Amino acid sequence: MLGAGAGMYFSIGIVLIYGFSVFIVPITEDTGWDRTVVATVVAPIAVVNGLMSPVVGALTDRFGPRRVLAVSSMSMAIGLIGVGIASQNLTTFIVAVAVASLMGAAQTGVPYTYVVVGWFSARRGLALGVMLSFVGLGIATLPPFLALLISEWGWRFAFMAAGLISMAVTLPSRFSPFVIHPCFSDPTAQGARATLFAGRWRRQASG
């Protein structure tokens, strides 16, 4: 649950949507690019993430959350590092941000919710609430942290550091045996679990 919360803390939406606001002024002051254009670059990311959610859900069903989150953790890091390295002009900056948003599209609530729902039957609502509380924590604390990195080492370094830190925090948990419940990886186990739940329901209804 805490691993899923850490993943939500470093989700692509928090890093690139909520965190992007602290990059706008430093980027425009450093490069001379139009501030309006820079500020609007991030706007389509929310749309892209929304449109990608069904795809992420289908991939999670097909390959399981462990594989999806492991790949997306690394690809999101590569995308953010690419923003810091490849942004030599405004065009490459826009392309790099768009690519980063696509590469981090699976770092959203879809696979993390899948994991939490798979592990918790009792107090599932509480578990989801704890996981989602990290979203608010990330919105409140990650932008100031990024601003600190920018003030000390510049906006390009901050993008690269965000990618590396997010991968360092989120990737280890993907290889934990607790990331995926066996009932979601084995169809036979799925059936056994469904039979178990049905039996419990019948006992409760008759008792």
Side-chain angles (χ1 to χ4, degrees):
M1 180 173 60
L2 294 179
M8 294 299 295
Y9 183 91
F10 284 104
S11 67
I12 190 67
I14 292 178
V15 175
L16 267 185
I17 295 177
Y18 292 99
F20 192 79
S21 60
V22 301
F23 285 93
I24 296 173
V25 173
I27 289 174
T28 56
E29 290 181 348
D30 179 50
T31 62
W33 299 338
D34 185 86
R35 183 173 299 185
T36 303
V37 176
V38 173
T40 56
V41 166
V42 75
I45 293 177
V47 177
V48 170
N49 285 343
L51 294 176
M52 287 294 292
S53 292
V55 177
V56 175
L59 290 174
T60 304
D61 286 333
R62 175 66 179 84
F63 298 105
R66 175 181 294 176
R67 292 180 181 177
V68 170
L69 291 172
V71 171
S72 65
S73 178
M74 293 183 287
S75 63
M76 175 178 164
I78 293 171
L80 292 173
I81 293 170
V83 175
I85 294 176
S87 301
Q88 303 304 318
N89 55 61
L90 183 57
T91 301
T92 57
F93 173 73
I94 294 173
V95 172
V97 171
V99 171
S101 67
L102 289 173
M103 295 181 73
Q107 282 293 317
T108 62
V110 175
Y112 292 110
T113 301
Y114 189 104
V115 171
V116 172
V117 168
W119 270 106
F120 292 89
S121 53
R123 298 185 178 179
R124 183 177 292 161
L126 175 61
L128 288 171
V130 171
M131 180 193 76
L132 293 174
S133 69
F134 281 81
V135 175
L137 185 63
I139 292 172
T141 61
L142 193 57
F145 174 68
L146 293 173
L148 176 63
L149 293 179
I150 293 170
S151 66
E152 294 293 330
W153 293 287
W155 65 271
R156 297 177 190 274
F157 177 87
F159 269 117
M160 293 186 285
L164 291 173
I165 293 171
S166 66
M167 184 173 65
V169 171
T170 61
L171 187 59
S173 65
R174 308 301 171 263
F175 298 100
S176 166
F178 299 104
V179 168
I180 181 169
H181 196 287
C183 291
F184 285 96
S185 59
D186 183 358
T188 303
Q190 287 183 0
R193 191 184 194 205
T195 302
L196 175 63
F197 284 171
R200 288 179 179 174
W201 182 83
R202 285 194 296 269
R203 288 194 298 271
Q204 290 173 359
S206 60

